[in-house]
Amino acid sequence: MTIAGAAAAQNVSLNYDRLSLLEEPLATEIGAVTLVMNGVLDSALTFDAEDSDANGAGFTGNVQIGAFAQLRNRWRVGATWFGQYAASDVPGDDSDEEYTDNIALSIGGVWGTVLAGNVSGTVREQTRRGRGAGNAALEFDDFLGGLGDTGVGYAGRFGPWTIATAVDGDGHVDLGAMSQRPHGTSDYRLTLRAYSADYAVPGGRSFDTSGVGIVGELIHGSTTIDAGVSYERFTSPGPGADRWFASSGIRTKSGTLSLSLEGHFGRIGASDEISAALGAQVDLARGLSVNFGVNHSRAEAGAAAGALRILDTEETKTVLSMRYSF
């Protein structure tokens, strides 16, 4: 694995939010340390087709800052911080204002990169389907279970494959592999993921969970088509459940306009989960855009005995926002 490969594996994003950090980061050097920064400011209006009382406005701002240096033995050390502030007057939100952050330390070389900190979402970020355009946000398009916030991780490139893993303080494991290669005029990406963790249902019951998933992606010109299929198992001393789900989407860009359309179908036991997302983004200037999204989700699912609901939701939301990325 080359030094470039190690560096690519080390620069793992700590942004697990729906807003992508799309712009190239700002960078500067202070002595032997390279500082990089990028972020997003988004001011949005939300309209709920199911409940007009849930309409409202919100603001989200996030930023990621990294500091990296190369030691004399060619090891590369770094620290990355991601912070997000969100404010909303939409009724039903947990809080009018909320601040969250992730931080990770890393050290890497030709053998790969070791990370420590809030790394629970790093494997998901490397193996997930791409985010939709604008304000598209496809519900249920992930395992329900997950790792704890803090832990350790590893990322390394071996030939055409990038391998990533994360382990939290309770010993839960998330493991992924990704390969991306061009062929002719197209680019192909394949990812594999397996995990073992837990999931707490509102009301107090906790399940042990495990799952496997695969994602395939085709990029041709300005169009991306991808699809993923996954299986997740819930177990407990009482009821248990099997969950199968599949998601697919297409995203394209023409001039200043980006469009995406995504769909999801899954089953927990004998109950369905369905979601769809339509998104659009119009670029006004470098980093400045108008964004639109219509997101629908519906699920009423219980465990094997049918008495315990794992998912229970139905909503259709339209989101319009002005966004600046830097």
Side-chain angles (χ1 to χ4, degrees):
M1 184 170 61
T2 65
I3 290 291
Q10 180 170 349
N11 295 332
V12 177
S13 174
L14 298 182
N15 174 26
Y16 311 145
D17 187 68
R18 66 176 181 84
L19 299 180
S20 301
L21 299 174
L22 293 176
E23 295 294 325
E24 288 295 322
L26 304 173
T28 187
E29 291 188 359
I30 301 178
V33 178
T34 299
L35 296 177
V36 295
M37 179 182 72
N38 52 354
V40 177
L41 302 174
D42 186 86
S43 182
L45 296 173
T46 300
F47 306 92
D48 193 323
E50 312 291 341
D51 182 6
S52 61
D53 291 334
N55 298 340
F59 170 81
T60 302
N62 60 41
V63 63
Q64 180 166 292
I65 299 174
F68 302 97
Q70 186 166 318
L71 305 180
R72 296 194 177 194
N73 62 2
R74 295 191 138 185
W75 286 10
R76 194 164 180 255
V77 297
T80 303
W81 169 81
F82 172 83
Q84 177 170 285
Y85 169 79
S88 174
D89 63 3
V90 177
D93 281 2
D94 294 336
S95 174
D96 292 338
E97 297 183 65
E98 183 181 32
Y99 170 78
T100 56
D101 59 13
N102 298 316
I103 187 169
L105 304 177
S106 62
I107 181 168
V110 295
W111 35 265
T113 299
V114 175
L115 305 102
N118 305 120
V119 298
S120 61
T122 54
V123 176
R124 153 77 168 162
E125 286 304 306
Q126 293 201 41
T127 58
R128 62 172 291 163
R129 291 182 49 254
R131 292 173 173 85
N135 286 314
L138 189 67
E139 288 290 327
F140 316 133
D141 187 23
D142 191 13
F143 298 124
L144 296 179
L147 274 60
D149 288 338
T150 59
V152 295
Y154 170 81
R157 183 174 295 169
F158 302 90
W161 289 92
T162 296
I163 306 298
T165 186
V167 182
D168 69 10
D170 294 322
H172 300 141
V173 178
D174 200 352
L175 176 64
M178 186 270 287
S179 177
Q180 185 167 1
R181 281 291 183 266
H183 182 74
T185 59
S186 300
D187 194 79
Y188 296 89
R189 175 172 169 261
L190 176 68
T191 74
L192 307 171
R193 184 184 173 202
Y195 94 104
S196 177
D198 55 31
Y199 176 66
V201 177
R205 183 183 292 274
S206 179
F207 289 91
D208 292 326
T209 63
S210 59
V212 293
I214 182 171
V215 169
E217 179 183 86
L218 165 66
I219 302 174
H220 183 78
S222 298
T223 300
T224 300
I225 301 173
D226 57 21
V229 178
S230 300
Y231 166 76
E232 189 171 23
R233 173 65 181 167
F234 299 84
T235 58
S236 74
D242 293 300
R243 177 180 181 235
W244 298 87
F245 62 96
S247 305
S248 183
I250 181 171
R251 176 169 177 159
T252 189
K253 182 176 178 64
S254 177
T256 61
L257 176 64
S258 298
L259 296 171
S260 69
L261 179 63
E262 305 167 88
H264 170 98
F265 177 79
R267 291 179 68 85
I268 300 180
S271 301
D272 297 340
E273 56 182 56
I274 298 171
S275 65
L278 170 67
Q281 175 178 314
V282 179
D283 299 325
L284 302 179
R286 176 176 172 82
L288 183 65
S289 62
V290 174
N291 297 268
F292 173 80
V294 179
N295 304 305
H296 172 76
S297 60
R298 176 172 58 85
E300 185 176 314
L308 180 64
R309 296 187 189 281
I310 295 177
L311 293 173
D312 190 357
T313 182
E314 182 170 1
E315 62 181 17
T316 302
K317 290 187 176 182
T318 301
V319 185
L320 179 66
S321 74
M322 181 73 73
R323 183 176 304 164
Y324 178 66
S325 303
F326 59 92

